[in-house]
């Protein structure tokens, strides 16, 4: 429950473009090609946005993950 709350907070911190790509790809299972067709944004740009989102989420959630693993 704490992890989900922190994940939600970390997602809220992302710029909208990064959050939308991350959620569409990871949670909705939409391919980058499909997202690109819907938005008109290139696949490479979408990949970059997701990469930056993942880096932020890793940094933001690392201490919580470490605490969870060490319990």
């Amino acid at each position: 429950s704490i992890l989900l709350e922190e994940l939600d907070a970390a997602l809220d911190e992302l710029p909208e473009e990064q959050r939308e790509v991350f959620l569409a790809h990871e949670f909705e299972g939409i391919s980058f090609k499909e997202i690109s067709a819907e938005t008109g944004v290139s696949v490479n740009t979408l990949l970059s946005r997701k990469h930056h989102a993942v880096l932020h989420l890793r940094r933001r959630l690392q201490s919580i993950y470490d605490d969870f693993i060490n319990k």
Side-chain angles (χ1 to χ4, degrees):
S1 145
I2 292 173
L3 181 59
L4 291 177
E5 289 174 18
E6 290 297 322
L7 175 59
D8 192 45
L11 287 168
D12 285 343
E13 295 169 0
L14 292 171
E16 184 176 346
E17 295 92 358
Q18 291 178 18
R19 182 175 53 253
E20 288 176 355
V21 171
F22 183 84
L23 292 174
H25 189 253
E26 289 298 318
F27 289 95
E28 298 174 31
I30 302 172
S31 72
F32 289 113
K33 188 175 178 180
E34 291 173 303
I35 298 168
S36 178
E38 287 179 21
T39 63
V41 177
S42 75
V43 170
N44 284 338
T45 297
L46 295 171
L47 287 167
S48 178
R49 288 177 181 175
K50 182 176 178 199
H51 174 73
H52 289 286
V54 168
L55 291 177
H56 171 75
L57 294 172
R58 280 184 188 157
R59 282 191 306 269
R60 177 69 165 69
L61 301 173
Q62 186 64 51
S63 64
I64 294 161
Y65 175 78
D66 291 343
D67 289 345
F68 181 75
I69 294 299
N70 292 326
K71 286 188 177 182

